[in-house]
Amino acid sequence: MILSYLYNIEELNKMADGIIVSLYDYSFSQPGMFSVSDILKIKSITDKPLFLNINPLYHDKDLLSLKEIIRKLKDIDGFLFQDLGLVEFFKEYNILNKAIYYPETFNTTYLDSLFFKKLDISKLVLSREITLDDINDILLKDKDTSYFYSSFGHQMMFYSLRPHISNYVKKFDIKCDMSSPFDFNIKELSRSEHYNIVEDNLGFRCYKDKIFNGFEELSNMSNLYLILDRIFINDDMYFDAVKLFKKELSLDDFYKKYNKDSFDKSYLFKETGLLK
C-alpha cells in the first residue's frame, strides 16, 4: 500500500492507495491541516484507508485533549504516533490494532518488534537511517509485523520540543516575520547546502536538503507500506511522485520533468555509523 498526504479535500482523487491527514495543533505543521470534523467528513466520502499523523512528542497538558480526539476518530484506519503515552488511549478504545509506532529513527532491527509485541503493537515505521540490506533483513526475519517506511520526500534530520528559531531571534534581537513556519532554512558554515527548518507549537524540526526517492529499491516490496512525504515539495512534483509509485509514470519521465540532482538515495546504501 502507498500512503500519500492530503492537503485539501479537492485532492482526494489524486491520492494513492491510502490517505494521511494532519490535525490542527496536534500534528507537525503541514501546509494542509484539518479539524476533527474535517477528518470525519473525509472518512465519510472516501473508500480509501484514512490515517491520522499525530507524531509529535506531547506535553502533559495535551494528553487529555488527545484522548478525546482519538475517541472521536477511533473509526479511521490508523494512527501514526511517536509518544508512547498514547498507547493507553488506544488500549482503552480497543484500537491497538490501528496504532502505528513512528519514532523516526528508532526501529532499526527485527528485534525492536519483540518489545512492541509485548505492548500489542504490531505496526511499526522503520527508521529512515538504515540501509536497504537492513530493511530486507527485517522483512525476512519478522513476517508478523506490518512495516511502514518513508520512501519519498524531505526526511526529517532533527526534532526538538524547544523553539530554536524563536530563541535565536530573541537572543540576537532579529526582526523577522514568523507568521509562516515554512519560510526558514539553516546553513552550516562548512557546507553549501541549505536545510529547511520549521517551528510551531509542537517544537522545531530540520529537514534534509535533497529529496529522498526510493522508488527503484522499494516500490516492488509488497510487504512494506510506503509513505510519500510532502512537506516542502510543490504540488506538481508530489502528484507526479504519487503517479510514479503507482506505476502510472515512468522513472525516466519523472526525471525528465524534475532535476535528478535534487534527489538522493538517503541512507539506503550508506551506513550511518561504524558500529551496529
Side-chain angles (χ1 to χ4, degrees), residues 3-19:
L3 309 181
S4 54
Y5 273 85
L6 184 73
Y7 278 2
N8 64 71
I9 292 178
E10 288 71 30
E11 297 173 344
L12 277 172
N13 65 334
K14 299 179 180 180
M15 291 291 100
D17 308 317
I19 300 166

Side-chain angles (χ1 to χ4, degrees), residues 232-249:
F232 303 117
I233 294 175
N234 69 59
D235 292 349
D236 288 341
M237 179 188 289
Y238 188 71
F239 293 125
D240 278 340
V242 171
K243 291 178 182 177
L244 173 67
F245 276 80
K246 292 175 69 177
K247 301 183 179 176
E248 297 172 356
L249 180 70

Side-chain angles (χ1 to χ4, degrees), residues 70-104:
I70 291 170
R71 184 191 68 80
K72 290 179 178 178
L73 296 176
K74 61 186 175 64
D75 291 331
I76 68 171
D77 299 279
F79 298 85
L80 293 151
F81 78 103
Q82 176 175 194
D83 195 320
L84 290 172
L86 302 182
V87 171
E88 292 303 313
F89 303 154
F90 298 131
K91 280 185 182 178
E92 182 172 339
Y93 298 127
N94 197 30
I95 54 172
L96 261 178
N97 62 317
K98 298 182 179 184
I100 306 162
Y101 183 52
Y102 191 179
E104 302 292 345

Side-chain angles (χ1 to χ4, degrees), residues 5-267:
Y5 273 85
L6 184 73
Y7 278 2
N8 64 71
I9 292 178
E10 288 71 30
E11 297 173 344
L12 277 172
N13 65 334
K14 299 179 180 180
M15 291 291 100
D17 308 317
I19 300 166
I20 302 174
V21 291
S22 300
L23 178 66
Y24 284 118
D25 297 326
Y26 294 96
S27 299
F28 289 140
S29 289
Q30 300 264 354
M33 307 286 283
F34 298 94
S35 66
V36 170
S37 59
D38 292 332
I39 295 169
L40 290 171
K41 179 181 178 181
I42 294 166
K43 176 65 177 174
S44 71
I45 60 176
T46 184
D47 294 328
K48 293 184 176 182
L50 183 64
F51 300 82
L52 175 63
N53 192 326
I54 43 173
N55 205 33
L57 297 170
Y58 296 102
H59 297 284
D60 289 348
K61 63 182 176 62
D62 299 319
L63 292 179
L64 286 180
S65 299
L66 268 169
K67 180 178 180 180
E68 179 62 11
I69 288 167
I70 291 170
R71 184 191 68 80
K72 290 179 178 178
L73 296 176
K74 61 186 175 64
D75 291 331
I76 68 171
D77 299 279
F79 298 85
L80 293 151
F81 78 103
Q82 176 175 194
D83 195 320
L84 290 172
L86 302 182
V87 171
E88 292 303 313
F89 303 154
F90 298 131
K91 280 185 182 178
E92 182 172 339
Y93 298 127
N94 197 30
I95 54 172
L96 261 178
N97 62 317
K98 298 182 179 184
I100 306 162
Y101 183 52
Y102 191 179
E104 302 292 345
T105 59
F106 292 160
N107 293 323
T108 57
T109 79
Y110 75 96
L111 296 173
D112 291 308
S113 68
L114 300 181
F115 171 79
F116 291 105
K117 283 173 183 173
K118 295 177 182 178
L119 299 178
D120 293 323
I121 295 173
S122 60
K123 295 180 173 69
L124 304 176
V125 182
L126 290 171
S127 168
R128 61 181 172 270
E129 296 180 355
I130 60 176
T131 65
L132 183 61
D133 286 342
D134 292 330
I135 294 171
N136 282 319
D137 185 59
I138 291 169
L139 296 178
L140 179 65
K141 291 181 178 176
D142 179 18
K143 300 183 184 299
D144 297 326
T145 300
S146 295
Y147 284 108
F148 295 67
Y149 188 78
S150 176
S151 57
F152 182 89
H154 288 282
Q155 296 178 317
M156 191 191 302
M157 298 169 59
F158 175 79
Y159 167 45
S160 171
L161 283 169
R162 296 180 178 88
H164 288 294
I165 300 176
S166 296
N167 289 343
Y168 183 84
V169 167
K170 182 179 179 181
K171 170 75 174 177
F172 295 100
D173 194 25
I174 298 170
K175 306 297 183 186
C176 68
D177 180 6
M178 295 187 62
S179 58
S180 171
F182 308 107
D183 292 343
F184 296 87
N185 61 66
I186 192 170
K187 178 185 178 299
E188 294 184 75
L189 289 175
S190 60
R191 299 174 185 266
S192 59
E193 298 86 2
H194 288 74
Y195 303 93
N196 291 308
I197 55 177
V198 178
E199 177 190 307
D200 57 22
N201 64 306
L202 294 165
F204 171 93
R205 275 95 59 207
C206 179
Y207 295 83
K208 288 187 67 177
D209 60 319
K210 295 213 180 253
I211 302 167
F212 171 52
N213 185 0
F215 171 78
E216 288 179 282
E217 295 77 17
L218 303 168
S219 61
N220 290 320
M221 291 187 176
S222 59
N223 52 347
L224 188 65
Y225 292 79
L226 304 181
I227 298 170
L228 308 185
D229 289 319
R230 187 170 179 179
I231 192 167
F232 303 117
I233 294 175
N234 69 59
D235 292 349
D236 288 341
M237 179 188 289
Y238 188 71
F239 293 125
D240 278 340
V242 171
K243 291 178 182 177
L244 173 67
F245 276 80
K246 292 175 69 177
K247 301 183 179 176
E248 297 172 356
L249 180 70
S250 73
L251 187 62
D252 285 343
D253 286 340
F254 182 82
Y255 283 138
K256 284 177 184 176
K257 295 184 68 174
Y258 306 105
N259 181 6
K260 192 172 183 178
D261 291 337
S262 299
F263 302 85
D264 70 8
K265 297 297 181 183
S266 193
Y267 301 102

